[in-house]
Amino acid sequence: MAKIKLNHQVALDKKHTRMTKPSLQVILTPAIAHLYDMKGSCVVVVDILRATTSMCFALHNGAKSIIPVQEVEEAEVYRLKGFAVAAERNGIQLEGFAFGNSPFSFTPAHVKGKEIVFTTTNGTKCIQKAKDERAEKILLGSFLNLDALIEELSNAQWPLFIFCAGWKEKFNLEDTLFAGALVASLRDYYTIEDDSSEAAEDIYKIAKDNLEQYVQKASHSKRFDRLGIVGDAPFCVKLNLTRVIPELVGDRLIVKKT
Ligand code: MLT
């Protein structure tokens, strides 16, 4: 009788834990985002190569805010108003704009005190998607602010989605790799029951001892090689260069008050 009671109690404890810990889910690409209810949740948008890395670095280097826009036409309107604009498609800086999307462009000399407009192939679309889904809180994640983000998310106030920008709606390695790094560190604070999170963590376990070597496998790294873009991918997997956490407030990303 005691053993049956014990099993029953264990089951109740597990049920209670599930009820008290918010869920954590990984959305592998925007193409399946419609399967998830992000309303009222915290969404961490991830575009390691390179949008969220560059945005974190720009704010770390003193940018006043980041204005993410989806379309090049929107970016052009801002440019004509005198804003500094970062515009990239297919990894290439668009002609006529101040920046592409290399993190190395966003130095203090270039960005300090400025509002930087961004439009990129995937990352800015993903931010807009999270906004359209009426997330309660939208943050940006990168390896550069990993530990600061883990500390912030361990307060586990809302259901959490790690939203991978992917490449043109397809899965990519580097964003899921980062999602796995978050899953590995947040498992004790959230209820994790989705296979995407498990797969992401397994990818992280494979790669964590040499992220720079692993990220060379990514199709976007190979695209950079073809484009002659050197150094961006290794930089984008450097750990904890900053404590800033970008948060979307209205139409601007600013440094979250922690
Ligand atoms: C993206 O939006 O996926 C990236 O910005 C692409 C890039 O920076 O090459």
Side-chain angles (χ1 to χ4, degrees):
M1 188 59 181
K3 187 167 172 29
I4 293 171
K5 188 175 180 318
L6 182 65
N7 287 343
H8 180 62
Q9 189 55 49
V10 167
L12 282 176
D13 288 350
K14 279 185 178 173
K15 183 172 179 299
H16 174 69
T17 302
R18 257 203 306 277
M19 285 167 58
T20 55
K21 285 183 183 177
S23 62
L24 184 162
Q25 298 180 77
V26 172
I27 304 173
L28 293 173
T29 87
I32 56 173
H34 65 280
L35 301 175
Y36 299 85
D37 179 9
M38 291 184 243
K39 188 171 181 299
S41 69
C42 175
V43 177
V44 175
V45 174
V46 182
D47 184 352
I48 295 301
L49 299 174
R50 302 164 287 186
T52 57
T53 300
S54 291
M55 293 174 184
C56 286
F57 201 48
L59 288 168
H60 171 77
N61 284 332
K64 182 181 174 189
S65 72
I66 305 274
I67 304 172
V69 298
Q70 286 200 76
E71 306 302 336
V72 177
E73 293 73 18
E74 291 175 81
E76 175 63 6
V77 170
Y78 276 105
R79 188 185 69 81
L80 293 173
K81 289 178 182 174
F83 282 79
V85 178
E88 165 277 331
R89 287 294 183 272
N90 300 308
I92 299 165
Q93 176 173 343
L94 298 185
E95 200 171 329
F97 291 98
F99 308 112
N101 197 19
S102 172
F104 299 122
S105 303
F106 305 104
T107 61
H110 285 151
V111 304
K112 194 166 179 55
K114 293 180 181 176
E115 296 197 289
I116 311 289
V117 177
F118 267 76
T119 182
T120 72
T121 309
N122 306 282
T124 47
K125 286 185 175 58
C126 205
I127 293 167
Q128 184 60 46
K129 180 76 184 162
K131 195 175 173 184
D132 293 346
E133 294 292 319
R134 292 184 290 163
E136 176 67 24
K137 188 172 283 288
I138 298 172
L139 307 176
L140 299 192
S142 72
F143 285 104
L144 275 59
N145 70 344
L146 176 61
D147 280 359
L149 196 58
I150 289 166
E151 282 174 38
E152 176 64 26
L153 295 173
S154 60
N155 68 23
Q157 279 182 296
W158 294 280
L160 175 61
F161 289 95
I162 304 168
F163 192 3
C164 299
W167 178 261
K168 295 187 179 179
E169 303 274 300
K170 292 177 185 167
F171 171 92
N172 74 19
L173 270 178
E174 67 273 14
D175 295 347
T176 303
L177 169 63
F178 177 79
L182 282 181
V183 171
S185 295
L186 293 172
R187 193 172 278 281
D188 291 344
Y189 302 95
Y190 292 86
T191 300
I192 297 175
E193 296 178 329
D194 71 318
D195 291 349
S196 305
S197 295
E198 299 301 341
E201 187 177 17
D202 284 352
I203 289 175
Y204 177 65
K205 284 175 182 171
I206 293 167
K208 65 185 175 63
D209 296 331
N210 194 335
L211 294 175
E212 190 171 323
Q213 182 181 44
Y214 188 85
V215 79
Q216 290 173 31
K217 292 177 76 169
S219 57
H220 206 30
S221 291
K222 293 169 182 143
R223 186 174 294 112
F224 288 157
D225 293 343
R226 292 194 299 272
L227 293 170
I229 295 174
V230 178
D232 285 31
F235 179 84
C236 290
V237 294
K238 286 197 181 307
L239 290 170
N240 303 315
L241 295 184
T242 183
R243 298 281 303 166
V244 304
I245 301 173
E247 179 174 11
L248 189 67
V249 178
D251 63 357
R252 282 164 165 78
L253 287 153
I254 59 171
V255 175
K256 175 173 174 30
K257 305 282 179 283
T258 50

